């Protein structure tokens, strides 16, 4: 990637205040009150200024733009606080933005053309699940501001783009200048082959927006009825359906392999390594001791899931022998030295950036790096010499860090253990492998973890308890069972040691004044806080107001719900209220972990962000080859935007695969009854979760009964106007499975529970828009489209 020329609009130049003021005046010509330089502007003018200056509307810049000094700055501060409390603006990093505003650099999918033939794109992954992703008008020309020829894109392409607020009203809210074309449109189409009499067949699309395609008898590639196939469009006639040629038969749609492949294709996840990447990986040689410390005698061990194939982190702990730290411990974390093998601009590096991260499905892993690198040369195998980047951290007996140092080393893992194996040994049931290392290695590790836990308790990170379900497959790839694995102290030990290593990486790079990619997590927006607050009020649980929320405020809410029937729902609602963590070269801290500085360092085999941090440490500490280059430093904004998008892409693909698997698993049980819980309430009906399966389905409001239902947004409930019976968020219900659509991952239920008596206030009809009257019996068309709901 080449350095992107800085756009003049990114940051105001010296003396630009009057220019910005004139721009604000031009944006609001109809104002009755004149905009006076030196006076606080009206609210609407201020809002327009913030919208047109994304990422630059700090209090200082606003004051400078409008010439505010002294008491006027105090008045401005009060006005901005008022806008925040009303949810009209929110703080992002150091600037104010409109809620739901796009970041200045983002990844767009070009989907349509408007009536003038201009390309329109939308964010590839949209953070706000409750809203529609905004449209963006693509400018194909850089307008003479950028050096060189601007990239050209077309329909179906995915691009990295610089975002600008639209100057003209009535169209898309944003315009964009293309920085880089990430993926060109592909002609391959995925679908389900259905044979027809006489040979040939039709391709049924897996995308609800797709259309059927004809397959001639000579081009079926022996696909059978019900096979998932990949085709290329062969020719398009003037009339009738398009025609195609089958290129690849993936397998029956009844197999899990096909279901995960649907997600891979639908989300555009690269899953086949180019030949040049594989050749480069095969040609890689084992490292030497040059520029490395020899730590092979230190008994570092790996603790991972039992089925893990790559091991990128190893740990060790021992009492600190220093008399200055009585009762303290030294905790060492060693991470596979991927930066030695994957150099900037190499084929391996470009492919890793294109993927961004490994993607995990129940039946397969789509790795970021080829197996030669991830499962062999960089995997910290037991008893094998492996290169690593290690951090040695000293903690006091109270869990306060006294210092840390980074080292480029050669190590040799003393043991490869599973979480269950390590935990069993500590609990008194060691096996042949853990028995000999219980006293010298495992018990000191657990003592080090107890010390780190004291620091965690003092820090008070967000302590959510949302169970993660695991799917076990049968040999044929279908679902065997769904269960919630037990969370062990062994899991918590590794998690806390990795967190501390990540903090140490960020602190070291800041001390060296080295640019890096942080892992940042913003506090919840005021709008989401208010939604959560209104929900909690229905349970007589209070949540403090204000823009300066801390994680322990939410922990207080979780503590008051502990042990109550609605405990799980409160945990889920608190989780929904949180912002999504992203990667950024600008640090705003990590709200959930309650940390001022945090960077991902511990998983460079499966996350590109960690590889960048490794390179930054190597270059800033002078640890040899494979460091961060000046060219990379210049485009960290772009890299952070890309890998944040790719992370969301992976999460969506994993979630969709699980939804399809569960829908397929339950498709043979249509008509059966299940215990569920109301997990969402909208005007059109209820979302219900089956806790035993982790499955979500929808109940259209037209099937709830003949009553008039009132939608109460504040209380997240539907209540019958005549009977007073209704359903609210978190209510336990009995439902019948009415329909399962495996390819769409969709379930539809029928309500069997009568409902509960709703409070009188919730049955009152208001015209304010907060409560809407819905005639369930006369609205048969309220069922949402199939698919992700």
């Amino acid at each position: 990637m080449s350095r992107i020329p800085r756009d003049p609009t990114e940051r105001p130049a010296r003396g630009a205040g009057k220019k910005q003021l004139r721009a604000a005046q031009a944006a609001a010509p109809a104002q009755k009150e004149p905009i006076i330089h030196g006076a606080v502007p009206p609210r609407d003018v201020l809002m327009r200024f913030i919208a047109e200056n994304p990422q630059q509307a700090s209090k200082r810049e606003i004051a400078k733009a409008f010439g505010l000094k002294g008491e006027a700055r105090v008045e401005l501060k009060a006005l901005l606080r008022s806008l925040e409390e009303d949810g009209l603006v929110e703080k992002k990093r150091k600037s104010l933005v409109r809620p739901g505003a796009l970041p200045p650099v983002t990844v767009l999918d070009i989907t349509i053309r408007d009536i003038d033939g201009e390309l329109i794109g939308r964010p590839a992954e949209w953070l706000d699940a409750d809203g529609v992703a905004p449209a963006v008008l693509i400018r194909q020309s850089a307008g003479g501001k950028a050096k060189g020829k601007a990239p050209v894109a077309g329909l179906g392409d995915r691009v990295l783009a610089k975002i600008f607020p639209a100057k003209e009203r009535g169209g898309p809210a944003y315009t964009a200048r293309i920085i880089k074309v990430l993926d060109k449109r592909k002609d391959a189409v995925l679908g389900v082959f259905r044979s027809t009499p006489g040979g040939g067949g039709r391709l049924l699309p897996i995308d609800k927006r797709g259309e059927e395609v004809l397959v001639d008898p000579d081009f079926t590639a022996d696909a059978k009825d019900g096979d998932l196939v990949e085709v290329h469009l062969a020719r398009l006639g003037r009339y009738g359906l398009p025609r195609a040629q089958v290129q690849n038969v993936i397998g029956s749609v009844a197999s899990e392999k096909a279901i995960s492949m649907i997600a891979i294709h639908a989300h555009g996840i690269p899953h086949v390594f180019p030949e040049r990447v594989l050749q480069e990986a095969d040609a890689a040689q084992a490292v030497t001791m040059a520029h490395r410390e020899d730590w092979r005698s230190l008994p570092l061990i790996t603790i991972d899931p039992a089925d893990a194939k790559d091991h990128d982190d190893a740990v060790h702990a021992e009492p600190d022998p220093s008399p200055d730290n009585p009762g303290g411990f030294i905790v060492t974390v060693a991470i596979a030295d991927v930066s030695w093998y994957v150099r900037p601009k190499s084929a391996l590096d470009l492919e890793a950036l294109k993927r961004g991260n490994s993607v995990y499905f129940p039946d397969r892993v789509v790795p970021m790096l080829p197996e030669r690198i991830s499962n062999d040369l960089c995997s910290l195998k037991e008893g094998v010499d492996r290169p690593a980047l290690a951090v040695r951290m000293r903690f006091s007996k109270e869990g306060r860090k006294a210092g840390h140092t980074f080292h480029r080393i050669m190590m040799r893992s003393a043991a490869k253990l599973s979480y269950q194996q390590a935990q069993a040994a500590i609990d008194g049931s060691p096996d042949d492998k853990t028995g000999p290392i219980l006293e010298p290695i495992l018990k000191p590790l657990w003592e080090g973890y107890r010390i780190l836990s004291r620091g965690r308790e003092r820090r008070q990170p967000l302590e959510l308890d949302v169970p993660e379900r695991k799917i076990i497959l049968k040999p044929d790839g279908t679902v065997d069972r769904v269960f919630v694995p037990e969370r062990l102290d062994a899991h918590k030990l590794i998690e806390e040691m990795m967190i501390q290593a990540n903090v140490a990486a960020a602190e070291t790079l800041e001390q060296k004044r080295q640019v890096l990619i942080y892992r940042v997590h913003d506090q919840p927006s005021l709008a989401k806080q208010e939604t959560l607050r209104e929900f909690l009020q229905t349970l007589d649980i209070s949540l403090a107001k204000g823009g300066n929320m801390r994680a322990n405020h939410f922990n207080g809410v979780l503590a008051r719900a502990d042990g109550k029937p609605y405990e799980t729902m409160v945990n889920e609602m608190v989780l929904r209220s949180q912002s999504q963590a992203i990667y950024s070269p600008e640090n705003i801290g990590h709200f959930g972990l309650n940390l001022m500085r945090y960077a991902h360092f511990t998983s460079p085999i499966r996350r590109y962000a960690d590889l960048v941090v490794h390179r930054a440490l190597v270059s800033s500490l002078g640890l040899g080859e494979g460091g961060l280059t000046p060219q990379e430093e210049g485009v960290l904004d772009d890299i952070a935007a890309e890998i944040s998008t790719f992370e969301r892409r992976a999460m969506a693909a994993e979630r969709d695969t699980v939804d399809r698997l569960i829908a397929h698993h339950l498709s043979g049980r249509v008509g059966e009854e299940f215990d569920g819980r109301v997990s969402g309430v909208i005007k059109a009906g209820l979302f219900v979760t089956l806790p035993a399966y982790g499955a979500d389905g929808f109940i259209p409001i037209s099937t709830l009964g003949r009553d008039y239902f009132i939608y109460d947004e504040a209380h997240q409930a539907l209540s019958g106007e005549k009977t007073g019976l209704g359903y609210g968020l978190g209510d336990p219900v009995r439902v019948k499975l009415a329909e399962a659509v495996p390819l769409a991952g969709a379930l539809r239920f029928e309500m069997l529970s009568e409902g509960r008596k709703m409070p009188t206030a919730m049955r009152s009809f208001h015209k304010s828009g907060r409560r809407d009257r819905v005639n369930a019996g006369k609205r048969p068309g309220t069922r949402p489209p199939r698919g992700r709901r």
Side-chain angles (χ1 to χ4, degrees), residues 408-461:
R408 208 171 197 183
I409 68 169
M410 184 71 77
M411 62 162 284
R412 182 182 296 158
S413 172
K416 181 189 78 169
L417 304 180
S418 69
Y419 288 113
Q420 293 75 15
Q421 195 176 13
Q423 188 67 55
I426 288 295
D427 292 342
S429 301
D431 58 21
D432 292 341
K433 177 177 280 190
T434 56
I437 65 174
L438 179 59
E439 293 294 334
I441 299 177
L442 291 179
K443 285 190 175 180
L445 263 179
W446 255 256
E447 184 58 36
Y449 164 60
R450 278 191 283 271
I451 284 177
L452 294 185
S453 296
R454 294 168 192 160
R456 181 184 178 92
E457 290 169 4
R458 185 171 52 253
R459 193 173 79 240
Q460 292 191 345

Side-chain angles (χ1 to χ4, degrees), residues 493-549:
L493 179 151
I494 295 299
E495 177 184 280
E496 192 59 30
M497 290 185 177
M498 297 305 110
I499 287 173
Q500 292 301 328
N502 288 336
V503 171
E507 290 177 345
T508 292
L509 293 174
E510 278 196 359
Q511 291 166 3
K512 292 293 182 179
R513 300 185 182 278
Q514 170 68 55
V515 294
L516 70 147
I517 292 179
Y518 293 92
R519 180 65 167 179
V520 299
H521 182 218
D522 206 353
Q523 67 176 343
S525 67
L526 290 174
K528 288 189 175 181
Q529 287 182 40
E530 190 57 33
T531 298
L532 176 63
R533 189 174 293 110
E534 291 177 346
F535 166 71
L536 292 173
Q537 285 175 354
T538 67
L539 304 175
D540 293 325
I541 298 176
S542 61
L543 177 66
K545 286 191 175 184
N548 191 25
M549 295 289 287

Side-chain angles (χ1 to χ4, degrees), residues 187-189 215 219-221 223 229-234 244-250:
D187 293 328
V189 175
V215 180
F219 299 112
T220 63
V229 297
E230 192 172 47
V231 306
H232 285 277
L233 297 180
Q245 179 176 352
V246 175
Q247 296 291 314
N248 182 29
V249 178
I250 297 168

Side-chain angles (χ1 to χ4, degrees), residues 134-205:
V136 183
L137 177 65
I138 307 295
R139 298 294 188 190
Q140 292 279 32
S141 170
K145 294 181 179 179
K147 297 178 180 179
K149 188 177 180 180
V152 177
L155 278 174
D157 291 352
R158 174 166 288 187
V159 300
L160 183 71
K162 178 74 179 176
I163 305 297
F164 305 95
K167 294 181 180 179
E168 300 175 2
R169 300 185 183 183
Y174 299 93
T175 62
R177 172 170 56 82
I178 298 172
I179 297 173
K180 177 183 177 183
V181 178
L182 301 176
D183 284 304
K184 297 297 289 183
R185 177 180 63 249
K186 297 178 177 61
D187 293 328
V189 175
L190 200 69
V192 178
F193 179 80
R194 293 298 182 191
S195 59
T196 56
R202 292 190 174 208
L203 186 78
L204 304 182

Side-chain angles (χ1 to χ4, degrees), residues 158-455:
R158 174 166 288 187
V159 300
L160 183 71
K162 178 74 179 176
I163 305 297
F164 305 95
K167 294 181 180 179
E168 300 175 2
R169 300 185 183 183
Y174 299 93
T175 62
R177 172 170 56 82
I178 298 172
I179 297 173
K180 177 183 177 183
V181 178
L182 301 176
D183 284 304
K184 297 297 289 183
R185 177 180 63 249
K186 297 178 177 61
D187 293 328
V189 175
L190 200 69
V192 178
F193 179 80
R194 293 298 182 191
S195 59
T196 56
R202 292 190 174 208
L203 186 78
L204 304 182
I206 60 159
D207 188 333
K208 61 186 178 184
R209 293 169 295 184
E211 59 179 336
E212 289 189 14
V213 178
L214 288 178
V215 180
D216 290 331
D218 295 336
F219 299 112
T220 63
D222 296 325
K224 298 179 178 60
D225 188 75
D227 277 349
L228 184 71
V229 297
E230 192 172 47
V231 306
H232 285 277
L233 297 180
R235 65 179 184 272
L236 299 176
R238 176 173 294 184
Y239 305 105
L241 295 176
R243 296 179 181 271
Q245 179 176 352
V246 175
Q247 296 291 314
N248 182 29
V249 178
I250 297 168
S252 170
V253 291
S255 73
E256 198 282 334
K257 179 184 178 182
I259 290 178
S260 61
M261 185 56 72
I262 291 174
I264 289 170
H265 180 89
H267 292 275
I269 296 173
H271 64 285
V272 178
F273 285 107
E275 187 60 32
R276 67 182 184 281
V277 175
L278 295 175
Q279 290 174 355
E280 190 173 286
D282 290 339
Q285 300 296 318
V287 302
T288 65
M289 288 298 300
H291 299 99
R292 295 187 185 278
E293 301 175 41
D294 190 347
W295 283 24
R296 287 175 288 187
S297 61
L298 185 70
L300 290 150
I301 67 170
T302 62
I303 305 178
D304 291 295
D307 57 354
K309 294 181 180 179
D310 58 74
H311 310 277
D312 52 11
D313 58 83
V315 293
H316 179 266
E318 61 185 350
D320 190 351
S322 173
D324 298 333
N325 189 23
F329 255 70
I330 296 176
V331 174
T332 300
V333 174
I335 306 298
D337 190 358
V338 179
S339 63
W340 178 267
Y341 291 103
V342 184
R343 301 296 178 90
K345 293 295 183 180
S346 66
L348 280 168
D349 178 54
L350 296 176
E351 183 67 18
L353 177 56
K354 182 180 178 181
R355 295 173 179 233
N357 46 254
S358 298
V359 188
Y360 294 85
F361 299 104
D363 76 317
R364 72 173 79 194
V365 176
V366 179
M368 185 180 80
L369 298 167
E371 288 189 7
R372 166 69 172 157
I373 301 295
S374 60
N375 293 3
D376 185 9
L377 294 178
C378 287
S379 185
L380 305 181
K381 296 182 177 181
E382 179 180 320
V384 180
D385 291 358
R386 284 290 181 259
L389 203 59
V391 56
R392 178 171 282 170
M393 301 171 285
R394 296 174 60 242
F395 292 91
S396 70
K397 62 181 179 182
E398 294 85 15
R400 300 181 188 276
K401 191 170 71 175
H404 67 266
T405 55
F406 279 90
H407 309 260
R408 208 171 197 183
I409 68 169
M410 184 71 77
M411 62 162 284
R412 182 182 296 158
S413 172
K416 181 189 78 169
L417 304 180
S418 69
Y419 288 113
Q420 293 75 15
Q421 195 176 13
Q423 188 67 55
I426 288 295
D427 292 342
S429 301
D431 58 21
D432 292 341
K433 177 177 280 190
T434 56
I437 65 174
L438 179 59
E439 293 294 334
I441 299 177
L442 291 179
K443 285 190 175 180
L445 263 179
W446 255 256
E447 184 58 36
Y449 164 60
R450 278 191 283 271
I451 284 177
L452 294 185
S453 296
R454 294 168 192 160

Side-chain angles (χ1 to χ4, degrees), residues 547-620:
N548 191 25
M549 295 289 287
R550 302 291 294 273
N552 61 347
H553 289 114
F554 294 97
N555 287 339
V557 168
L558 299 173
R560 288 191 285 278
D562 188 31
K564 304 293 195 304
Y566 46 76
E567 176 184 1
T568 299
M569 184 51 59
V570 169
N571 273 269
E572 290 179 355
M573 287 298 292
V574 170
L575 177 62
R576 291 183 192 181
S577 72
Q578 303 302 305
S579 303
Q580 182 161 347
I582 61 171
Y583 295 107
S584 171
E586 295 184 33
N587 185 28
I588 60 170
H590 198 293
F591 177 83
L593 294 175
N594 199 12
L595 292 167
M596 292 296 296
R597 49 193 62 84
Y598 190 68
H600 274 167
F601 158 74
T602 54
S603 296
I605 288 177
R606 62 185 180 90
R607 292 189 306 223
Y608 194 83
D610 303 56
L611 176 57
V612 172
V613 170
H614 273 237
R615 289 173 177 167
L617 288 166
V618 167
S619 59
S620 63

